[in-house]
Amino acid sequence: DCIIEVRDSRCPLSTSHPSLTQWSLGCARVVVLSKADMVPEGAKKGWARDNHRPLKELRPRDVALSKHEQFLVASRLSSPDSPETRHMFLNLMKDPLHNLKKQVTSLGSPVLSRRASRGLLPRPLRVAVVGYPNVGKSALINKLLGRNRLKSANTPGVTRQLHWVKVRQSSSHASTSGGVVTGSKSGDSFELLDTPGIIPQKLVDQRSACHLACCGLVGEKGYDSQTMAAYFLARCRWLLAVGCDHALPDFRASFKKRYGFDIDDDEVKAEDLLWRCADNICFGDLENAGRRVLGDFR
């Protein structure tokens, strides 16, 4: 009846499945951007503002665009979201989920109304929680339930099968029986389906693949730490160069304190940033430096 798509706030476009919009045609969808505590407030506000601006405002005719504006236009053109898709930034450790429950109930109410008009028996809303691996699907369901009902960890691939659980509106009680929800009433509860994380079999956009690796959304055997750390450092330098300082507040100072040099130092080429980090903090060990850089970011 309704879909909750969970994405990682650090890479909301890269963690949106390219086929999900087509698969969910005619079905209401809420996009939950998890791990919001890991993203600066300025970046969240800027993303929400630019994501809902008409594309013609970002791409005026006969006007030369800055690098930052070109970046925004490219991001919007690659976004699979429809204008009516609702987005919510959530810190699953602290933020209450009352608004999410209201959104799900509101979006699913037309389905129950149609069932009633056809003379069908009432039942709770059925909501699928979908998304890439390690974006926080199981953690979100546990938060909705008020207890750790599902196994959850900060590693991809923990959930390996489908799980049905029921969330009551009046309380945080959930009941399951052999994976099937029992004893439910419509109106005061909805059923959640926890699903394993799925990544497209082939990622055409290699930049998105790099984002997934940098954020730890794929297993360590699926990428090379040195290559991804070098990409991450070059990407950060590029963001600073095109004026996305709101996405990296105090980054220059923190980077210099941590690694001992300026990331935008003209004397250090982008491809040599990781070598410089290895020399300063890892005695020249490039593999260890790659793991350290990715670990610091995560």
Side-chain angles (χ1 to χ4, degrees):
D1 303 323
C2 180
I3 291 176
I4 298 177
E5 181 190 0
V6 186
R7 301 182 191 171
D8 194 311
S9 294
R10 298 168 294 177
C11 49
L13 293 180
S14 297
T15 49
S16 59
H17 199 289
S19 302
L20 184 58
T21 300
Q22 180 181 357
W23 293 342
S24 61
L25 286 177
C27 188
R29 179 158 57 112
V30 179
V31 175
V32 173
L33 297 150
S34 64
K35 307 180 183 180
D37 55 312
M38 304 181 72
V39 179
E41 287 297 325
K44 288 187 286 188
K45 292 178 181 178
W47 188 88
R49 180 186 65 250
D50 295 328
N51 193 59
H52 291 90
R53 286 170 59 188
L55 188 59
K56 62 182 180 181
E57 293 183 11
L58 294 173
R59 188 175 52 178
R61 293 182 179 180
D62 303 325
V63 176
L65 301 182
S66 67
K67 289 185 178 180
H68 188 198
E69 290 170 333
Q70 294 173 14
F71 171 65
L72 293 176
V73 171
S75 298
R76 281 294 305 278
L77 289 175
S78 63
S79 175
D81 297 339
S82 57
E84 63 272 11
T85 301
R86 306 185 186 185
H87 299 80
M88 300 179 65
F89 281 98
L90 288 177
N91 175 4
L92 299 181
M93 300 297 293
K94 296 181 179 179
D95 294 343
L97 301 182
H98 305 301
N99 290 335
L100 177 59
K101 293 181 180 180
K102 291 180 180 178
Q103 292 270 18
V104 171
T105 303
S106 174
L107 292 174
S109 58
V111 177
L112 299 183
S113 299
R114 288 196 298 268
R115 287 181 58 84
S117 65
R118 296 172 183 173
L120 300 176
L121 294 176
R123 63 163 174 77
L125 287 172
R126 293 172 180 170
V127 183
V129 182
V130 301
Y132 277 39
N134 202 29
V135 294
K137 299 182 297 296
S138 298
L140 174 64
I141 293 179
N142 286 335
K143 180 75 173 181
L144 287 167
L145 299 179
R147 62 191 181 95
N148 293 329
R149 170 66 179 79
L150 302 175
K151 182 184 292 187
S152 176
N154 190 25
T155 55
V158 174
T159 302
R160 297 183 177 275
Q161 58 184 354
L162 303 177
H163 294 280
W164 278 104
V165 294
K166 182 174 68 175
V167 177
R168 297 185 185 278
Q169 291 285 63
S170 56
S171 63
S172 298
H173 177 70
S175 60
T176 60
S177 177
V180 179
V181 180
T182 60
S184 61
K185 294 182 179 180
S186 63
D188 66 342
S189 63
F190 53 90
E191 299 171 357
L192 291 174
L193 176 63
D194 187 22
T195 62
I198 297 178
I199 295 179
Q201 189 172 12
K202 182 179 181 181
L203 287 172
V204 178
D205 184 1
Q206 288 303 301
R207 187 178 65 178
S208 294
C210 292
H211 292 171
L212 298 180
C214 290
C215 293
L217 304 182
V218 295
E220 293 184 353
K221 295 182 179 179
Y223 61 90
D224 178 68
S225 297
Q226 297 181 37
T227 303
M228 290 301 100
Y231 168 84
F232 168 74
L233 294 174
R235 180 71 173 173
C236 290
R237 172 185 271 193
W238 181 83
L239 287 172
L240 292 171
V242 299
C244 294
D245 298 73
H246 63 280
L248 304 164
D250 304 322
F251 180 78
R252 287 186 176 91
S254 300
F255 184 90
K256 185 175 182 179
K257 181 179 179 180
R258 175 65 168 162
Y259 301 109
F261 69 100
D262 293 320
I263 190 171
D264 49 4
D265 187 351
D266 293 335
E267 296 182 359
V268 182
K269 297 181 180 179
E271 56 269 23
D272 294 333
L273 289 171
L274 184 60
W275 285 98
R276 187 71 174 270
C277 291
D279 290 338
N280 289 358
I281 65 172
C282 296
F283 303 100
D285 187 340
L286 204 60
E287 180 65 23
N288 190 21
R291 290 195 295 266
R292 290 276 292 273
V293 168
L294 294 178
D296 289 343
F297 168 62
R298 294 166 185 169

PDB file of all heavy atoms in Angstrom, residues 241-267:
ATOM      1  N   ALA A 241      36.318  23.498  -4.183  1.00  0.00           N
ATOM      2  CA  ALA A 241      36.667  24.352  -5.315  1.00  0.00           C
ATOM      3  C   ALA A 241      35.439  24.949  -6.000  1.00  0.00           C
ATOM      4  O   ALA A 241      35.494  26.069  -6.513  1.00  0.00           O
ATOM      5  CB  ALA A 241      37.495  23.567  -6.326  1.00  0.00           C
ATOM      6  N   VAL A 242      34.295  24.197  -5.994  1.00  0.00           N
ATOM      7  CA  VAL A 242      33.087  24.692  -6.676  1.00  0.00           C
ATOM      8  C   VAL A 242      32.165  25.446  -5.739  1.00  0.00           C
ATOM      9  O   VAL A 242      31.061  25.831  -6.120  1.00  0.00           O
ATOM     10  CB  VAL A 242      32.316  23.530  -7.341  1.00  0.00           C
ATOM     11  CG1 VAL A 242      33.173  22.845  -8.376  1.00  0.00           C
ATOM     12  CG2 VAL A 242      31.809  22.533  -6.301  1.00  0.00           C
ATOM     13  N   GLY A 243      32.593  25.679  -4.502  1.00  0.00           N
ATOM     14  CA  GLY A 243      31.812  26.515  -3.594  1.00  0.00           C
ATOM     15  C   GLY A 243      30.811  25.792  -2.732  1.00  0.00           C
ATOM     16  O   GLY A 243      29.852  26.412  -2.256  1.00  0.00           O
ATOM     17  N   CYS A 244      30.970  24.489  -2.525  1.00  0.00           N
ATOM     18  CA  CYS A 244      30.049  23.743  -1.649  1.00  0.00           C
ATOM     19  C   CYS A 244      30.559  23.735  -0.204  1.00  0.00           C
ATOM     20  O   CYS A 244      30.572  22.684   0.450  1.00  0.00           O
ATOM     21  CB  CYS A 244      29.876  22.315  -2.160  1.00  0.00           C
ATOM     22  SG  CYS A 244      29.055  22.191  -3.760  1.00  0.00           S
ATOM     23  N   ASP A 245      30.977  24.891   0.287  1.00  0.00           N
ATOM     24  CA  ASP A 245      31.523  24.959   1.641  1.00  0.00           C
ATOM     25  C   ASP A 245      30.494  24.602   2.697  1.00  0.00           C
ATOM     26  O   ASP A 245      30.841  24.120   3.784  1.00  0.00           O
ATOM     27  CB  ASP A 245      32.076  26.366   1.912  1.00  0.00           C
ATOM     28  CG  ASP A 245      33.210  26.735   0.973  1.00  0.00           C
ATOM     29  OD1 ASP A 245      32.918  27.003  -0.218  1.00  0.00           O
ATOM     30  OD2 ASP A 245      34.367  26.736   1.409  1.00  0.00           O
ATOM     31  N   HIS A 246      29.202  24.829   2.407  1.00  0.00           N
ATOM     32  CA  HIS A 246      28.167  24.501   3.387  1.00  0.00           C
ATOM     33  C   HIS A 246      28.112  23.002   3.656  1.00  0.00           C
ATOM     34  O   HIS A 246      27.639  22.575   4.708  1.00  0.00           O
ATOM     35  CB  HIS A 246      26.801  24.990   2.896  1.00  0.00           C
ATOM     36  CG  HIS A 246      26.347  24.327   1.635  1.00  0.00           C
ATOM     37  ND1 HIS A 246      26.809  24.702   0.390  1.00  0.00           N
ATOM     38  CD2 HIS A 246      25.491  23.299   1.421  1.00  0.00           C
ATOM     39  CE1 HIS A 246      26.242  23.943  -0.540  1.00  0.00           C
ATOM     40  NE2 HIS A 246      25.445  23.076   0.058  1.00  0.00           N
ATOM     41  N   ALA A 247      28.576  22.203   2.707  1.00  0.00           N
ATOM     42  CA  ALA A 247      28.591  20.751   2.886  1.00  0.00           C
ATOM     43  C   ALA A 247      29.812  20.278   3.663  1.00  0.00           C
ATOM     44  O   ALA A 247      29.845  19.144   4.136  1.00  0.00           O
ATOM     45  CB  ALA A 247      28.542  20.051   1.537  1.00  0.00           C
ATOM     46  N   LEU A 248      30.811  21.143   3.797  1.00  0.00           N
ATOM     47  CA  LEU A 248      32.060  20.773   4.479  1.00  0.00           C
ATOM     48  C   LEU A 248      32.482  21.867   5.455  1.00  0.00           C
ATOM     49  O   LEU A 248      33.568  22.431   5.352  1.00  0.00           O
ATOM     50  CB  LEU A 248      33.177  20.545   3.450  1.00  0.00           C
ATOM     51  CG  LEU A 248      32.920  19.513   2.354  1.00  0.00           C
ATOM     52  CD1 LEU A 248      33.923  19.679   1.229  1.00  0.00           C
ATOM     53  CD2 LEU A 248      33.002  18.110   2.924  1.00  0.00           C
ATOM     54  N   PRO A 249      31.633  22.199   6.436  1.00  0.00           N
ATOM     55  CA  PRO A 249      31.999  23.257   7.373  1.00  0.00           C
ATOM     56  C   PRO A 249      33.197  22.838   8.235  1.00  0.00           C
ATOM     57  O   PRO A 249      33.264  21.714   8.716  1.00  0.00           O
ATOM     58  CB  PRO A 249      30.737  23.442   8.218  1.00  0.00           C
ATOM     59  CG  PRO A 249      30.041  22.120   8.142  1.00  0.00           C
ATOM     60  CD  PRO A 249      30.333  21.602   6.756  1.00  0.00           C
ATOM     61  N   ASP A 250      34.139  23.752   8.381  1.00  0.00           N
ATOM     62  CA  ASP A 250      35.342  23.513   9.203  1.00  0.00           C
ATOM     63  C   ASP A 250      36.173  22.342   8.693  1.00  0.00           C
ATOM     64  O   ASP A 250      37.007  21.804   9.427  1.00  0.00           O
ATOM     65  CB  ASP A 250      34.955  23.265  10.670  1.00  0.00           C
ATOM     66  CG  ASP A 250      34.136  24.406  11.243  1.00  0.00           C
ATOM     67  OD1 ASP A 250      34.427  25.558  10.913  1.00  0.00           O
ATOM     68  OD2 ASP A 250      33.204  24.125  12.023  1.00  0.00           O
ATOM     69  N   PHE A 251      35.938  21.914   7.457  1.00  0.00           N
ATOM     70  CA  PHE A 251      36.652  20.742   6.954  1.00  0.00           C
ATOM     71  C   PHE A 251      38.137  21.027   6.765  1.00  0.00           C
ATOM     72  O   PHE A 251      38.978  20.191   7.088  1.00  0.00           O
ATOM     73  CB  PHE A 251      36.032  20.274   5.635  1.00  0.00           C
ATOM     74  CG  PHE A 251      36.704  19.068   5.047  1.00  0.00           C
ATOM     75  CD1 PHE A 251      36.450  17.799   5.552  1.00  0.00           C
ATOM     76  CD2 PHE A 251      37.599  19.187   3.991  1.00  0.00           C
ATOM     77  CE1 PHE A 251      37.072  16.680   5.019  1.00  0.00           C
ATOM     78  CE2 PHE A 251      38.229  18.077   3.456  1.00  0.00           C
ATOM     79  CZ  PHE A 251      37.956  16.824   3.972  1.00  0.00           C
ATOM     80  N   ARG A 252      38.452  22.204   6.230  1.00  0.00           N
ATOM     81  CA  ARG A 252      39.858  22.526   5.989  1.00  0.00           C
ATOM     82  C   ARG A 252      40.667  22.457   7.283  1.00  0.00           C
ATOM     83  O   ARG A 252      41.741  21.855   7.340  1.00  0.00           O
ATOM     84  CB  ARG A 252      39.972  23.908   5.368  1.00  0.00           C
ATOM     85  CG  ARG A 252      39.535  24.010   3.915  1.00  0.00           C
ATOM     86  CD  ARG A 252      39.828  25.391   3.374  1.00  0.00           C
ATOM     87  NE  ARG A 252      39.510  25.519   1.954  1.00  0.00           N
ATOM     88  CZ  ARG A 252      38.327  25.921   1.512  1.00  0.00           C
ATOM     89  NH1 ARG A 252      37.363  26.234   2.374  1.00  0.00           N
ATOM     90  NH2 ARG A 252      38.102  26.014   0.216  1.00  0.00           N
ATOM     91  N   ALA A 253      40.131  23.097   8.344  1.00  0.00           N
ATOM     92  CA  ALA A 253      40.848  23.127   9.621  1.00  0.00           C
ATOM     93  C   ALA A 253      40.967  21.740  10.220  1.00  0.00           C
ATOM     94  O   ALA A 253      42.033  21.340  10.725  1.00  0.00           O
ATOM     95  CB  ALA A 253      40.153  24.083  10.584  1.00  0.00           C
ATOM     96  N   SER A 254      39.886  20.968  10.167  1.00  0.00           N
ATOM     97  CA  SER A 254      39.909  19.614  10.738  1.00  0.00           C
ATOM     98  C   SER A 254      40.861  18.714   9.959  1.00  0.00           C
ATOM     99  O   SER A 254      41.584  17.905  10.552  1.00  0.00           O
ATOM    100  CB  SER A 254      38.496  19.017  10.725  1.00  0.00           C
ATOM    101  OG  SER A 254      37.604  19.798  11.490  1.00  0.00           O
ATOM    102  N   PHE A 255      40.857  18.864   8.648  1.00  0.00           N
ATOM    103  CA  PHE A 255      41.737  18.041   7.815  1.00  0.00           C
ATOM    104  C   PHE A 255      43.204  18.352   8.114  1.00  0.00           C
ATOM    105  O   PHE A 255      44.030  17.444   8.256  1.00  0.00           O
ATOM    106  CB  PHE A 255      41.426  18.291   6.340  1.00  0.00           C
ATOM    107  CG  PHE A 255      42.207  17.412   5.403  1.00  0.00           C
ATOM    108  CD1 PHE A 255      41.706  16.189   5.005  1.00  0.00           C
ATOM    109  CD2 PHE A 255      43.449  17.820   4.914  1.00  0.00           C
ATOM    110  CE1 PHE A 255      42.428  15.370   4.136  1.00  0.00           C
ATOM    111  CE2 PHE A 255      44.175  17.010   4.051  1.00  0.00           C
ATOM    112  CZ  PHE A 255      43.656  15.788   3.661  1.00  0.00           C
ATOM    113  N   LYS A 256      43.528  19.642   8.214  1.00  0.00           N
ATOM    114  CA  LYS A 256      44.918  20.019   8.475  1.00  0.00           C
ATOM    115  C   LYS A 256      45.373  19.538   9.847  1.00  0.00           C
ATOM    116  O   LYS A 256      46.511  19.071  10.014  1.00  0.00           O
ATOM    117  CB  LYS A 256      45.068  21.537   8.376  1.00  0.00           C
ATOM    118  CG  LYS A 256      46.512  22.009   8.520  1.00  0.00           C
ATOM    119  CD  LYS A 256      46.625  23.504   8.288  1.00  0.00           C
ATOM    120  CE  LYS A 256      48.074  23.958   8.380  1.00  0.00           C
ATOM    121  NZ  LYS A 256      48.211  25.419   8.132  1.00  0.00           N
ATOM    122  N   LYS A 257      44.483  19.601  10.837  1.00  0.00           N
ATOM    123  CA  LYS A 257      44.835  19.137  12.176  1.00  0.00           C
ATOM    124  C   LYS A 257      45.054  17.632  12.189  1.00  0.00           C
ATOM    125  O   LYS A 257      45.932  17.130  12.898  1.00  0.00           O
ATOM    126  CB  LYS A 257      43.727  19.529  13.159  1.00  0.00           C
ATOM    127  CG  LYS A 257      44.008  19.117  14.589  1.00  0.00           C
ATOM    128  CD  LYS A 257      42.868  19.562  15.509  1.00  0.00           C
ATOM    129  CE  LYS A 257      43.138  19.129  16.942  1.00  0.00           C
ATOM    130  NZ  LYS A 257      42.024  19.554  17.854  1.00  0.00           N
ATOM    131  N   ARG A 258      44.255  16.904  11.405  1.00  0.00           N
ATOM    132  CA  ARG A 258      44.319  15.450  11.399  1.00  0.00           C
ATOM    133  C   ARG A 258      45.497  14.923  10.580  1.00  0.00           C
ATOM    134  O   ARG A 258      46.216  14.017  10.996  1.00  0.00           O
ATOM    135  CB  ARG A 258      43.001  14.891  10.850  1.00  0.00           C
ATOM    136  CG  ARG A 258      42.963  13.383  10.662  1.00  0.00           C
ATOM    137  CD  ARG A 258      43.063  12.652  11.967  1.00  0.00           C
ATOM    138  NE  ARG A 258      42.751  11.246  11.803  1.00  0.00           N
ATOM    139  CZ  ARG A 258      43.074  10.301  12.687  1.00  0.00           C
ATOM    140  NH1 ARG A 258      43.714  10.641  13.805  1.00  0.00           N
ATOM    141  NH2 ARG A 258      42.751   9.055  12.481  1.00  0.00           N
ATOM    142  N   TYR A 259      45.729  15.517   9.392  1.00  0.00           N
ATOM    143  CA  TYR A 259      46.701  14.954   8.448  1.00  0.00           C
ATOM    144  C   TYR A 259      47.937  15.826   8.234  1.00  0.00           C
ATOM    145  O   TYR A 259      48.855  15.413   7.542  1.00  0.00           O
ATOM    146  CB  TYR A 259      46.024  14.682   7.108  1.00  0.00           C
ATOM    147  CG  TYR A 259      44.863  13.720   7.227  1.00  0.00           C
ATOM    148  CD1 TYR A 259      43.552  14.158   7.081  1.00  0.00           C
ATOM    149  CD2 TYR A 259      45.075  12.374   7.500  1.00  0.00           C
ATOM    150  CE1 TYR A 259      42.481  13.281   7.200  1.00  0.00           C
ATOM    151  CE2 TYR A 259      44.022  11.492   7.615  1.00  0.00           C
ATOM    152  CZ  TYR A 259      42.731  11.953   7.469  1.00  0.00           C
ATOM    153  OH  TYR A 259      41.671  11.076   7.593  1.00  0.00           O
ATOM    154  N   GLY A 260      47.920  17.027   8.780  1.00  0.00           N
ATOM    155  CA  GLY A 260      49.136  17.829   8.771  1.00  0.00           C
ATOM    156  C   GLY A 260      49.414  18.641   7.530  1.00  0.00           C
ATOM    157  O   GLY A 260      50.537  19.126   7.351  1.00  0.00           O
ATOM    158  N   PHE A 261      48.422  18.831   6.659  1.00  0.00           N
ATOM    159  CA  PHE A 261      48.616  19.703   5.493  1.00  0.00           C
ATOM    160  C   PHE A 261      47.250  20.171   4.996  1.00  0.00           C
ATOM    161  O   PHE A 261      46.214  19.615   5.370  1.00  0.00           O
ATOM    162  CB  PHE A 261      49.382  18.986   4.379  1.00  0.00           C
ATOM    163  CG  PHE A 261      48.611  17.875   3.712  1.00  0.00           C
ATOM    164  CD1 PHE A 261      47.982  18.066   2.492  1.00  0.00           C
ATOM    165  CD2 PHE A 261      48.537  16.615   4.300  1.00  0.00           C
ATOM    166  CE1 PHE A 261      47.283  17.050   1.878  1.00  0.00           C
ATOM    167  CE2 PHE A 261      47.845  15.585   3.688  1.00  0.00           C
ATOM    168  CZ  PHE A 261      47.211  15.798   2.479  1.00  0.00           C
ATOM    169  N   ASP A 262      47.249  21.201   4.165  1.00  0.00           N
ATOM    170  CA  ASP A 262      46.013  21.757   3.611  1.00  0.00           C
ATOM    171  C   ASP A 262      45.553  20.915   2.425  1.00  0.00           C
ATOM    172  O   ASP A 262      46.335  20.626   1.513  1.00  0.00           O
ATOM    173  CB  ASP A 262      46.221  23.203   3.150  1.00  0.00           C
ATOM    174  CG  ASP A 262      46.492  24.142   4.320  1.00  0.00           C
ATOM    175  OD1 ASP A 262      45.837  23.970   5.356  1.00  0.00           O
ATOM    176  OD2 ASP A 262      47.362  25.033   4.188  1.00  0.00           O
ATOM    177  N   ILE A 263      44.265  20.566   2.425  1.00  0.00           N
ATOM    178  CA  ILE A 263      43.753  19.725   1.351  1.00  0.00           C
ATOM    179  C   ILE A 263      43.736  20.468   0.019  1.00  0.00           C
ATOM    180  O   ILE A 263      43.817  19.857  -1.050  1.00  0.00           O
ATOM    181  CB  ILE A 263      42.339  19.202   1.687  1.00  0.00           C
ATOM    182  CG1 ILE A 263      41.923  18.130   0.669  1.00  0.00           C
ATOM    183  CG2 ILE A 263      41.329  20.341   1.733  1.00  0.00           C
ATOM    184  CD1 ILE A 263      40.658  17.405   1.023  1.00  0.00           C
ATOM    185  N   ASP A 264      43.619  21.792   0.055  1.00  0.00           N
ATOM    186  CA  ASP A 264      43.607  22.558  -1.188  1.00  0.00           C
ATOM    187  C   ASP A 264      44.963  23.203  -1.478  1.00  0.00           C
ATOM    188  O   ASP A 264      45.045  24.230  -2.159  1.00  0.00           O
ATOM    189  CB  ASP A 264      42.511  23.620  -1.161  1.00  0.00           C
ATOM    190  CG  ASP A 264      42.530  24.437   0.119  1.00  0.00           C
ATOM    191  OD1 ASP A 264      43.427  24.228   0.938  1.00  0.00           O
ATOM    192  OD2 ASP A 264      41.637  25.296   0.280  1.00  0.00           O
ATOM    193  N   ASP A 265      46.029  22.608  -0.950  1.00  0.00           N
ATOM    194  CA  ASP A 265      47.380  23.073  -1.227  1.00  0.00           C
ATOM    195  C   ASP A 265      47.702  22.834  -2.702  1.00  0.00           C
ATOM    196  O   ASP A 265      47.676  21.697  -3.183  1.00  0.00           O
ATOM    197  CB  ASP A 265      48.380  22.343  -0.337  1.00  0.00           C
ATOM    198  CG  ASP A 265      49.794  22.897  -0.448  1.00  0.00           C
ATOM    199  OD1 ASP A 265      50.035  23.731  -1.344  1.00  0.00           O
ATOM    200  OD2 ASP A 265      50.653  22.492   0.360  1.00  0.00           O
ATOM    201  N   ASP A 266      47.996  23.911  -3.428  1.00  0.00           N
ATOM    202  CA  ASP A 266      48.238  23.794  -4.868  1.00  0.00           C
ATOM    203  C   ASP A 266      49.484  22.962  -5.189  1.00  0.00           C
ATOM    204  O   ASP A 266      49.606  22.419  -6.294  1.00  0.00           O
ATOM    205  CB  ASP A 266      48.394  25.190  -5.484  1.00  0.00           C
ATOM    206  CG  ASP A 266      47.101  25.989  -5.429  1.00  0.00           C
ATOM    207  OD1 ASP A 266      46.035  25.348  -5.373  1.00  0.00           O
ATOM    208  OD2 ASP A 266      47.157  27.235  -5.433  1.00  0.00           O
ATOM    209  N   GLU A 267      50.385  22.848  -4.227  1.00  0.00           N
ATOM    210  CA  GLU A 267      51.606  22.089  -4.477  1.00  0.00           C
ATOM    211  C   GLU A 267      51.371  20.581  -4.438  1.00  0.00           C
ATOM    212  O   GLU A 267      52.219  19.806  -4.873  1.00  0.00           O
ATOM    213  CB  GLU A 267      52.672  22.468  -3.446  1.00  0.00           C
ATOM    214  CG  GLU A 267      53.126  23.926  -3.532  1.00  0.00           C
ATOM    215  CD  GLU A 267      54.205  24.239  -2.525  1.00  0.00           C
ATOM    216  OE1 GLU A 267      54.572  23.316  -1.749  1.00  0.00           O
ATOM    217  OE2 GLU A 267      54.685  25.384  -2.505  1.00  0.00           O
TER     218      GLU A 267
END
